[in-house]
Amino acid sequence: MVRKLLATVVLVVIVTLFVYPQRDSIISVFRMTDEPLIISKGNYGQSLIVEISFSHEGLEEWLQSLKQPYPLLMLDADWIARSPKIVEQIKKQNMPTGLLGKNGAENSYSIEEFNRDLKIYEKHFNNKPLWFMTSDYEFETNLQQTVFDEEINLLSPSMIYSKDNYQKTDGAILSLKLHEKSKPNFEEYAKLVETEKFVSIEENVFGYTIKTKKIPE
């Protein structure tokens, strides 16, 4: 009887010290696996990411209209450098952001280019991104390892949003592509965000929410 009671007490202590604190901390890919892992699907709802490499008319106003929980903004480094006003608005709203690289197929996106883009991101946001993905969702092995070594998560969407074929899918990571050749409809996107329930990538993948610190002005 005493042994059973002692075992129960020990179990409660272990759960209290190790399990519950983990749910309030950011668990990054490099802490969960021994190898780089590209996250492309979650388990607990659906998430929205917005790829931005071009400032279409209406973009700034649409971003300002968004409310929490915000979509994850994947930002192209060149766009960051030439869009200081919108970047400041994103920071003011404390919206989650990640780094969007160029096309990665056939080694077309070099490690040097990634390092350059990372420096631009860090210059404007004062820290490393939690997420990274290439524009075509292709990740060469050396690039995966380099991103992993920087303690940044690799991300790829489950599906690209289209009004004609959109279907709510549990665990999905849905992407809106705002590139130069895109033809965005911000009224449609606003309705999508208002009518659908989207959760953060972290909540979708790991099953818990993360409280982010407000960026000092």
Side-chain angles (χ1 to χ4, degrees):
M1 184 71 179
V2 175
R3 288 184 178 180
K4 289 184 178 179
L5 179 59
L6 180 60
T8 301
V9 172
V10 171
L11 180 60
V12 170
V13 171
I14 290 174
V15 170
T16 302
L17 292 178
F18 296 99
V19 176
Y20 283 101
Q22 287 295 318
R23 293 181 62 82
D24 292 326
S25 62
I26 296 177
I27 301 179
S28 298
V29 169
F30 72 95
R31 290 179 56 193
M32 295 188 66
T33 66
D34 294 328
E35 299 292 337
L37 173 67
I38 301 172
I39 294 178
S40 61
K41 193 177 186 301
N43 303 285
Y44 305 96
Q46 58 178 355
S47 300
L48 181 66
I49 62 178
V50 183
E51 305 174 37
I52 304 178
S53 62
F54 188 83
S55 295
H56 292 275
E57 183 178 355
L59 171 63
E60 184 175 359
E61 291 77 11
W62 178 64
L63 291 176
Q64 290 176 351
S65 73
L66 293 175
K67 296 179 176 60
Q68 294 184 346
Y70 295 121
L72 172 64
L73 306 182
M74 299 301 295
L75 308 178
D76 173 81
D78 292 332
W79 179 87
I80 291 173
R82 67 175 183 264
S83 308
K85 182 181 177 182
I86 302 181
V87 167
E88 286 304 312
Q89 180 62 37
I90 290 171
K91 291 164 64 177
K92 184 177 180 180
Q93 291 180 250
N94 201 29
M95 303 178 75
T97 59
L99 177 60
L100 178 66
K102 305 297 190 293
N103 289 342
E106 300 179 357
N107 298 330
S108 58
Y109 184 66
S110 68
I111 303 302
E112 290 74 17
E113 288 176 301
F114 166 74
N115 288 330
R116 166 192 168 275
D117 289 349
L118 181 58
K119 287 181 180 178
I120 292 175
Y121 181 97
E122 290 180 294
K123 175 183 177 182
H124 290 268
F125 288 95
N126 301 317
N127 53 35
K128 289 182 181 180
L130 182 60
W131 301 99
F132 169 80
M133 72 181 189
T134 58
S135 298
D136 59 357
Y137 322 126
E138 297 288 338
F139 299 85
E140 182 267 333
T141 302
N142 288 338
L143 178 61
Q144 290 186 41
Q145 189 63 51
T146 299
V147 176
F148 180 81
D149 291 342
E150 291 286 349
E151 302 181 350
I152 300 171
N153 297 303
L154 294 156
L155 182 65
S156 177
S158 311
M159 59 182 72
I160 308 302
Y161 173 75
S162 170
K163 183 179 181 180
D164 296 332
N165 59 19
Y166 169 70
Q167 183 176 358
K168 184 176 180 179
T169 305
D170 197 36
I173 299 175
L174 183 69
S175 181
L176 293 177
K177 298 173 71 72
L178 301 182
H179 304 321
E180 186 173 5
K181 296 182 179 179
S182 301
K183 296 180 179 180
N185 184 330
F186 292 113
E187 289 185 3
E188 177 186 321
Y189 299 162
K191 185 177 181 181
L192 173 71
V193 173
E194 289 173 2
T195 57
E196 295 292 340
K197 181 181 179 181
F198 292 106
V199 299
S200 69
I201 302 290
E202 293 83 6
E203 185 175 355
N204 194 347
V205 174
F206 303 124
Y208 61 85
T209 57
I210 292 179
K211 295 181 180 179
T212 57
K213 295 181 179 179
K214 183 174 177 60
I215 299 174
E217 296 182 0

